[in-house]
Amino acid sequence: AAVLPRRLRARMQPLGLTQNWLPAAEIFGEGVLLCLDEEAVREWEGRPAVVKRTEQLIEGYEKEFSGDSKGPGFPGARFYLLHSLAHLLMSSISLQCGYSASALSERIYCAPAEDGMPMAAILIMTGTSGAEGTLGGLVEQGRHIARHLRRAYDMGTLCSNDPVCAHHSPDDPSCRYLEGAACHGCLFVAEPACERFNRYLDRALVVPTLGHKPELAFFLERPCRT
């Protein structure tokens, strides 16, 4: 164990299974939960264009983790959809919620229908040990989620790096096997905000994208005003 100078009047405190206390920090935060309609997600998953794109995503995943028996497991096209939508919404919401883009983070709730308890939801949240996590700005933007969905649609349909970004395929020999149409110009966010380090992204599954069939996108049309 490290020895501290006597003048500090401190000693090392061992931590282990026998201790009855643990260091902790109280986190204050707020968030917005968005749930997609399960029937709409299942209909989207069954479209021929989505099935074909899923095959490309699987091929890219197998190239990334070839020979690695400890790979995380292919998350499915549903996860790509939710994850990409979460990034688009974070970019939109950060413009008005009062928090910086790097202060927001995501949680993806994803499970296929075969699991018996299907999930298709996104939680966009922020948290801090101070009062800044309860400013209310994120909750307020949740009341205008339709507006942010429209902005996300506009941001996703065209990237500043198109057509290169839009035409990228995960099975291309480019060493970017876990991304479809995704780059720093459209979907990438600050890595602390992303639970998958800016991987498993493809905006072509969310909105109509240059060079892809429109039916590949979950949102075939721009979300209407409510």
Side-chain angles (χ1 to χ4, degrees):
V3 178
L4 297 176
R6 180 174 297 180
R7 67 177 181 275
L8 295 179
R9 298 180 181 274
R11 61 186 178 86
M12 299 294 292
Q13 174 63 47
L15 293 177
L17 296 177
T18 59
Q19 297 299 126
N20 59 5
W21 67 275
L22 292 172
E26 188 174 13
I27 301 297
F28 301 91
E30 56 177 321
V32 175
L33 179 67
L34 175 67
C35 301
L36 300 186
D37 182 78
E38 179 61 27
E39 291 186 6
V41 174
R42 292 189 192 184
E43 184 275 328
W44 169 80
E45 288 176 318
R47 296 177 193 169
V50 177
V51 172
K52 182 177 180 180
R53 186 64 166 180
T54 302
E55 293 173 354
Q56 294 176 327
L57 294 171
I58 292 175
E59 185 174 344
Y61 171 86
E62 291 175 346
K63 288 182 179 180
E64 177 72 17
F65 296 103
S66 59
D68 185 359
S69 59
K70 297 182 179 180
F74 181 68
R78 178 183 294 226
F79 184 89
Y80 277 79
L81 164 65
L82 294 169
H83 195 203
S84 302
L85 178 58
H87 281 214
L88 289 171
L89 286 174
M90 280 195 290
S91 297
S92 174
I93 291 174
S94 66
L95 299 175
Q96 292 184 291
C97 70
Y99 299 104
S100 66
S102 60
L104 302 181
S105 59
E106 65 184 1
R107 285 293 181 272
I108 309 299
Y109 299 92
C110 177
E114 303 83 62
D115 286 0
M117 188 179 293
M119 292 185 289
I122 302 164
L123 175 65
I124 298 176
M125 60 184 182
T126 187
T128 178
S129 56
E132 291 183 358
T134 55
L135 293 175
L138 195 52
V139 171
E140 179 62 26
Q141 294 309 310
R143 298 186 175 98
H144 305 286
I145 193 64
R147 181 176 64 196
H148 290 294
L149 283 171
R150 291 193 295 273
R151 181 180 292 167
Y153 183 95
D154 295 339
M155 294 169 65
T157 52
L158 186 63
C159 172
S160 59
N161 290 321
D162 279 345
V164 176
C165 174
H167 290 172
H168 173 72
S169 178
D171 56 2
D172 288 341
S174 60
C175 298
R176 292 179 55 220
Y177 299 126
L178 299 181
E179 296 93 49
C183 71
H184 287 90
C186 53
L187 288 188
F188 288 2
V189 297
E191 288 205 349
C194 177
E195 62 179 27
R196 292 298 184 99
F197 304 103
N198 281 323
R199 310 182 92 178
Y200 305 103
L201 295 165
D202 188 357
R203 61 189 167 92
L205 296 175
V206 185
V207 297
T209 306
L210 184 69
H212 295 278
K213 295 181 178 179
E215 56 267 25
L216 179 60
F218 181 79
F219 293 99
L220 295 173
E221 298 179 352
R222 192 173 188 261
C224 62
R225 297 179 180 271
T226 57

